[in-house]
Amino acid sequence: MSKSTDYEPIDLIVISLAREINDSESCYTGIAIPSAVVAVQLARMTHAPNLQFFYGGYWINPDLDVDLFTIMTDTEAFVESISKAQGFSHLVQLYQYWEGPKHTLSFGIIRPAQIDQFGNINNSVIGDPHHPKFRFPGGAAAGDIINTCSRVIAYVPRHDVRTFVPEVDFITGRGSSPKWRKDVGLTDYQGIKTVVTDLAILEFHPSSGKMCVRSIHEFSTIDEVQENTGFDLEIPKDIPTTRAPTKEELDILQSKADPLSIRNFDSRNR
Amino acid sequence: MVVIGTIENLVKKVITPDIKISFGGAALFLKPMEVVREIIRQEIKDLIIYTLIGDLDIDLLLGVKAIKELHSSYVGLPMIGMARHFRKAMEKEQSVDFYEWTELSMVRAFQAGAMGTPAIMLRSLLGSDLVKLREDFEEVTYRGMKYIQVPAITPDLAIVHAYAADQNGNVFYPKHHALDEFSTLPAQCAKQLFVSVERMITNEEGRELIQQGQSTMFSSIDVDFVVEAPKGAWPSGFPPFYASDMGHIMTYSGMANMPETFDMYLREYVFGKSQEAVQ
């Protein structure tokens, strides 16, 4: 970290995720990844008030001023969260939008434990699957989202060589390779388009499908980004700097979108 | 014919080694925890378990080595961390055959089981290594389109926790809580249904609930066994009646770390009576 800022890296992750969201889109996020729900709420409170949001498959467009932890630990807060949602979704109702008859959701947000240069993700296992060195909890819906949402936004709270590997140990969800998606008939679902980390924002080359740098944060250097990535990134000649959070974004994040700072569950010291 | 009995008697009668069981609930909500504790008290082993999102239920059973085969999309303690016995069973002991599904494929397989179709096709698993690990997952082409075909899930028994049951075995749970599908889906695919309820009610009380606008979650024809287990989902949450007891789950997470403290946990909260004090 070469430059001090008046915000934390996790703030920029959340704000950058929110900026990936367009108004009037539809989306899903799971319940176990706090920065995802904060980013969606921030987008709804700023530039995307007409977003259609399935939260965890229960709440539709919730106006939550409490976080999920509170909802789970406080029955009154749970009941209140229902009254503050515009709707309430059953699992099978949500799945109408995943391969079902309804329209495709615009995007989903995931947090991969491992990601490789072609956007394959691993949330399952390191080493022999039957005799693993490390067993992650499992992909839950991450693999489904990659092949059922129009695009996927990923975030990685700590950008390092353990997460960014040349080839994932195990493919829980298949990557962004345009050729593979064409071969199996999944061109409507682009896979991961953007990866937001605490050092940079990454994307995938439209034809090769290989990961490249879109921008680096004002407090990181390109050497730092490359050193913490286990493969050669495609780096543009003039590297843009990620737009710093505006005062308005920071204010709304801190006062309304995440007053209890649940995004800090995702914060990792460097 | 619905059998209403005590949790001791009916668990002993119904849950036998090698039985295939689907659990209701998911992610620290609506789990049939008192039945899980009774399974541990009776030292029943060699279970085959299906659960959409495994949490404390699975980690406790793995801690006493009661599961030989496990199917789930995720096993952890949501918001808190890793499930320690799950990792230990996988990484150190290789004591359980774990089959990872995705959420969508597992729900579709529950639905296929309920429909009586032997398998179902879906696309979200395309390209996933989860398919390579499974002899019963198959890439198929139907009308020029690629799919992964997965087998229906058809457990011998589903175990779910609900609010109330009347004397005929009609089971109630407030309707507006969309979480109920986490329990109805695993129930509808199983041959038999075992329900624990917060309280038994009279048939008159059941009719009053219906007049108040509630519907049955399961009607008596769906139900095989009913036991009363107040606070039976604890420490998982049972909205709108009680929330997940995250403080307790954090205590568990700490005590599950070492065999000695895990034994203390079992003595205190599974074999002991202190859980009543908590309640």
Side-chain angles (χ1 to χ4, degrees):
Chain A
M1 303 289 161
S2 54
K3 190 178 165 187
S4 72
T5 55
D6 56 357
Y7 59 88
E8 296 298 318
I10 192 66
D11 300 340
L12 186 57
I13 290 178
V14 169
I15 288 166
S16 298
L17 289 171
R19 289 172 179 165
E20 293 298 308
I21 297 168
N22 305 307
D23 197 13
S24 302
E25 289 193 310
S26 55
C27 68
Y28 167 85
T29 77
I31 61 166
I33 48 174
S35 294
V37 61
V38 173
V40 172
Q41 295 294 68
L42 178 62
R44 291 176 69 213
M45 290 167 182
T46 52
H47 61 279
N50 302 303
L51 197 69
Q52 297 288 330
F53 175 29
F54 282 99
Y55 178 31
Y58 327 134
W59 297 268
I60 299 171
N61 297 333
D63 287 325
L64 301 176
D65 45 16
V66 291
D67 63 286
L68 185 75
F69 195 86
T70 307
I71 290 169
M72 286 183 79
T73 50
D74 178 342
T75 307
E76 278 175 30
F78 188 95
V79 172
E80 201 182 326
S81 78
I82 296 164
S83 66
K84 286 184 170 175
Q86 290 172 25
F88 213 39
S89 153
H90 283 74
L91 266 186
V92 172
Q93 182 193 346
L94 169 66
Y95 294 165
Q96 293 176 106
Y97 297 83
W98 300 12
E99 298 192 32
K102 305 291 193 197
H103 67 81
T104 298
L105 296 180
S106 314
F107 68 92
I109 303 180
I110 64 170
R111 184 184 63 194
Q114 259 191 346
I115 183 167
D116 68 20
Q117 53 192 325
F118 294 107
N120 298 302
I121 63 144
N122 175 15
N123 279 6
S124 299
V125 69
I126 290 181
D128 175 356
H130 301 289
H131 190 154
K133 265 198 284 212
F134 191 90
R135 177 66 231 190
F136 297 118
D144 299 318
I145 291 168
I146 278 183
N147 284 350
T148 59
C149 291
S150 176
R151 71 180 191 283
V152 172
I153 308 163
Y155 74 96
V156 175
R158 188 190 155 103
H159 189 143
D160 62 23
V161 291
R162 282 196 311 180
T163 305
F164 286 83
V165 293
E167 195 179 339
V168 290
D169 282 60
F170 185 91
I171 298 177
T172 308
R174 190 61 180 254
S176 317
S177 158
K179 185 185 175 301
W180 176 79
R181 292 196 167 265
K182 189 155 177 283
D183 288 350
V184 294
L186 286 175
T187 44
D188 288 348
Y189 320 100
Q190 306 165 74
I192 298 177
K193 293 295 284 179
T194 315
V195 186
V196 178
T197 80
D198 60 337
L199 297 179
I201 300 179
L202 308 152
E203 57 191 11
F204 295 88
H205 193 277
S207 51
S208 71
K210 204 164 174 293
M211 195 184 286
C212 41
V213 174
R214 189 209 282 176
S215 67
I216 61 171
H217 303 336
E218 58 177 321
F219 46 79
S220 54
T221 65
I222 191 65
D223 291 344
E224 195 182 359
V225 173
Q226 182 59 71
E227 275 165 25
N228 285 288
T229 305
F231 50 87
D232 288 341
L233 285 162
E234 293 194 17
I235 299 168
K237 238 212 256 143
D238 296 313
I239 306 159
T241 303
T242 309
R243 199 153 45 92
T246 65
K247 188 176 178 306
E248 191 204 0
E249 284 170 327
L250 279 172
D251 282 352
I252 294 177
L253 173 65
Q254 285 155 7
S255 65
K256 281 173 72 188
D258 189 24
L260 295 173
S261 300
I262 61 163
R263 63 192 180 283
N264 288 337
F265 281 121
D266 270 332
S267 194
R268 304 282 187 279
N269 290 330
R270 191 164 270 286
Chain B
M1 198 46 206
V2 182
V3 180
I4 300 171
T6 65
I7 194 164
E8 294 84 353
N9 289 343
L10 286 187
V11 164
K12 182 173 280 176
K13 176 180 158 172
V14 177
I15 302 175
T16 50
D18 295 310
I19 190 170
K20 273 204 281 189
I21 302 175
S22 55
F23 280 162
L28 299 173
F29 284 115
L30 270 62
K31 287 295 176 85
M33 292 305 302
E34 193 53 36
V35 177
V36 165
R37 286 186 283 266
E38 185 60 31
I39 289 171
I40 295 172
R41 287 191 285 267
Q42 296 195 19
E43 298 179 11
I44 302 167
K45 310 275 176 180
D46 291 327
L47 302 173
I48 300 166
I49 304 286
Y50 294 80
T51 184
L52 186 60
I53 306 271
D55 48 72
L56 186 65
D57 52 347
I58 298 305
D59 206 55
L60 271 176
L61 289 170
L62 287 173
V64 298
K65 299 189 171 48
I67 303 179
K68 73 169 183 186
E69 184 179 318
L70 175 63
H71 294 253
S72 190
S73 75
Y74 175 102
V75 181
L77 302 176
M79 313 291 287
I80 289 177
M82 300 277 181
R84 297 181 191 279
H85 292 124
F86 172 64
R87 280 192 56 192
K88 196 171 157 198
M90 294 296 296
E91 295 168 11
K92 299 222 166 67
E93 296 163 351
Q94 284 95 50
S95 53
V96 62
D97 286 329
F98 176 56
Y99 296 88
E100 182 178 334
W101 297 66
T102 63
E103 278 184 33
L104 182 66
S105 58
M106 196 160 198
V107 166
R108 292 298 189 230
F110 283 145
Q111 290 182 295
M115 287 189 287
T117 184
I120 195 157
M121 295 184 288
L122 74 161
R123 302 175 70 200
S124 77
L125 277 170
L126 283 168
S128 171
D129 282 348
L130 295 173
V131 178
K132 291 188 192 160
L133 295 179
R134 301 290 293 268
E135 280 173 18
D136 51 357
F137 285 12
E138 207 180 323
E139 187 173 303
V140 296
T141 302
Y142 179 72
R143 295 186 170 173
M145 192 86 95
K146 285 192 172 123
Y147 296 88
I148 304 297
Q149 183 167 278
V150 304
I153 295 173
T154 52
D156 301 310
L157 184 73
I159 304 177
V160 309
H161 186 69
Y163 172 58
D166 70 15
Q167 302 301 312
N168 290 330
N170 294 300
V171 172
F172 298 87
Y173 180 70
K175 207 180 165 187
H176 64 283
H177 286 281
L179 294 168
D180 60 359
E181 260 183 13
F182 286 112
S183 291
T184 54
L185 288 166
Q188 285 159 356
C189 61
K191 294 183 185 81
Q192 289 196 304
L193 177 55
F194 189 115
V195 186
S196 62
V197 292
E198 290 290 306
R199 62 192 193 100
M200 296 299 300
I201 56 176
T202 63
N203 292 350
E204 289 70 31
E205 287 172 310
R207 273 199 292 275
E208 275 166 31
L209 286 175
I210 287 173
Q211 279 157 11
Q212 288 162 17
Q214 281 203 35
S215 174
T216 50
M217 185 184 192
F218 304 105
S219 55
S220 59
I221 194 168
D222 306 325
V223 179
D224 297 278
F225 308 99
V226 175
V227 299
E228 189 175 53
K231 272 263 177 139
W234 176 88
S236 80
F238 192 62
F241 305 103
Y242 45 93
S244 312
D245 188 345
M246 299 306 259
H248 179 86
I249 293 157
M250 278 188 244
T251 301
Y252 170 81
S253 178
M255 294 181 82
N257 236 342
M258 310 276 293
E260 299 75 25
T261 48
F262 181 59
D263 282 347
M264 275 170 62
Y265 179 92
L266 292 175
R267 278 203 301 276
E268 181 94 346
Y269 297 105
V270 178
F271 291 95
K273 292 285 174 197
S274 352
Q275 163 205 339
E276 284 164 16
V278 174
Q279 291 165 17

